[in-house]
Amino acid sequence: MSPDLLLEVRGISKRFGSVQALENVNFNVGKKEIVGLVGDNGAGKSTLMKIIAGNYLPDEGEIRFEGKKAILRTPQVAKKLGIETVYQDLALCENLDVTANYFLGRELITRFNALQKSKMRKKAEEILKNLSIEISSVRKIVQFLSGGQRQAIAVGRAASWGAKLLLLDEPTSALGIRESHKVLNLIKKLREERELGVVVISHNLQHVLPIADRVVILRHGQQVGSYRPTDTTYDEFVKLISGEEAIHLKE
């Protein structure tokens, strides 16, 4: 295993009853690398993500993290290794403010079991500032924030607690152009400043290609290939995803 390789998935297969969701898939992510995981609905993207996140155990294959074999039986096991996942629902409590959401399950408490609210607000403000997340106050209730701001909170929270690998499930889904760009810029900033490995699971090539170092394509549960965004054209990537025709790589 290369010293720069963070995650290595070898020969992963997963079946649900009569449905072969994944078949002999190989997938890896390097340190400080953004990998786009793309494919049509039913390609196996979500299944692979949930295996890496500890939601499913594979039927076959092996996962190695930082060079060591990892059996990801639960999401808690994955989190302890430094694998954080942001799903489409974001797992935010909309009736709580930004600070409370950042510290959800990690609240700072005094020896008298009182919340250290001032300390938590100060830390939340530092996170917003360091990640250039545009929210006027950490006291704002989440339900009154825009979709892009909510996504930024969820991504920033996941990256703020010792994460080494981020799995982002459709991070620009239902966002407008301006907010999508902000979220994509945040992902690049996290990769550079926190030296994270990032997997962006998406069906939107227009959002993945500008930020990804590599793009891995799944089709019908099988890995079609791993390509640099500069390997070919956008149209040929689309054809490869759909299976319309073979890809023509640049020399």
Side-chain angles (χ1 to χ4, degrees):
M1 178 174 177
S2 165
D4 293 326
L5 202 56
L6 183 63
L7 171 77
E8 188 175 13
V9 172
R10 302 175 177 174
I12 289 291
S13 295
K14 181 67 178 178
R15 178 182 289 273
F16 298 99
S18 61
V19 177
Q20 186 75 49
L22 294 173
E23 185 176 359
N24 194 32
V25 170
N26 298 308
F27 180 77
N28 59 67
V29 184
K31 298 174 182 177
K32 252 184 114 172
E33 183 182 34
I34 298 176
V35 179
L37 181 61
V38 302
D40 275 341
N41 292 336
K45 305 187 301 296
S46 293
T47 300
L48 179 58
M49 180 190 71
K50 288 178 180 178
I51 287 174
I52 299 169
N55 296 103
Y56 298 150
L57 279 172
D59 298 327
E60 298 175 12
E62 179 182 76
I63 296 174
R64 301 185 72 83
F65 194 78
E66 295 187 309
K68 298 178 182 178
K69 184 176 180 180
I71 301 176
L72 306 176
R73 297 186 182 278
T74 66
Q76 289 71 30
V77 171
K79 283 177 179 289
K80 285 182 179 179
L81 289 177
I83 301 172
E84 291 281 348
T85 307
V86 179
Y87 294 99
Q88 287 189 60
D89 64 8
L90 304 182
L92 297 176
C93 291
E94 296 199 351
N95 62 319
L96 300 179
D97 67 14
V98 173
T99 299
N101 272 279
Y102 265 127
F103 284 90
L104 203 60
R106 295 181 171 97
E107 292 82 0
L108 302 182
I109 301 174
T110 69
R111 57 180 178 155
F112 303 107
N113 289 327
L115 286 175
Q116 295 180 297
K117 293 183 179 180
S118 178
K119 192 172 183 178
M120 289 164 61
R121 287 193 193 104
K122 184 176 180 180
K123 178 64 177 177
E125 287 168 353
E126 288 176 2
I127 293 171
L128 290 180
K129 182 179 179 181
N130 291 339
L131 296 179
S132 302
I133 298 174
E134 297 177 2
I135 297 175
S136 59
S137 171
V138 294
R139 296 173 185 262
K140 270 202 165 185
I141 303 300
V142 165
Q143 73 181 84
F144 300 117
L145 300 178
S146 69
Q149 289 173 322
R150 295 183 195 191
Q151 185 67 254
I153 290 172
V155 174
R157 179 179 65 183
S160 297
W161 305 106
K164 298 175 182 178
L165 175 67
L166 280 184
L167 307 177
L168 306 179
D169 184 19
E170 300 284 358
T172 59
S173 177
L175 297 183
I177 295 174
R178 183 170 176 271
E179 292 206 313
S180 292
H181 282 309
K182 286 186 176 181
V183 171
L184 295 174
N185 286 334
L186 173 59
I187 293 168
K188 289 190 289 185
K189 186 179 181 72
L190 288 170
R191 185 269 302 273
E192 292 301 325
E193 296 186 1
R194 306 290 176 95
E195 298 191 353
L196 299 176
V198 183
V199 180
V200 178
I201 298 97
S202 180
H203 68 279
N204 193 328
L205 272 175
Q206 291 179 323
H207 290 171
V208 171
L209 292 177
I211 66 167
D213 299 296
R214 286 187 299 114
V215 177
V216 174
I217 298 173
L218 295 181
R219 188 170 70 239
H220 303 314
Q222 297 181 328
Q223 182 180 339
V224 175
S226 175
Y227 308 99
R228 296 185 302 274
T230 55
D231 279 342
T232 189
T233 66
Y234 174 85
D235 288 342
E236 286 183 317
F237 267 118
V238 172
K239 290 175 181 177
L240 186 59
I241 289 171
S242 66
E244 191 173 328
E245 64 179 46
I247 198 166
H248 302 292
L249 298 178
K250 293 179 181 178
E251 295 294 336

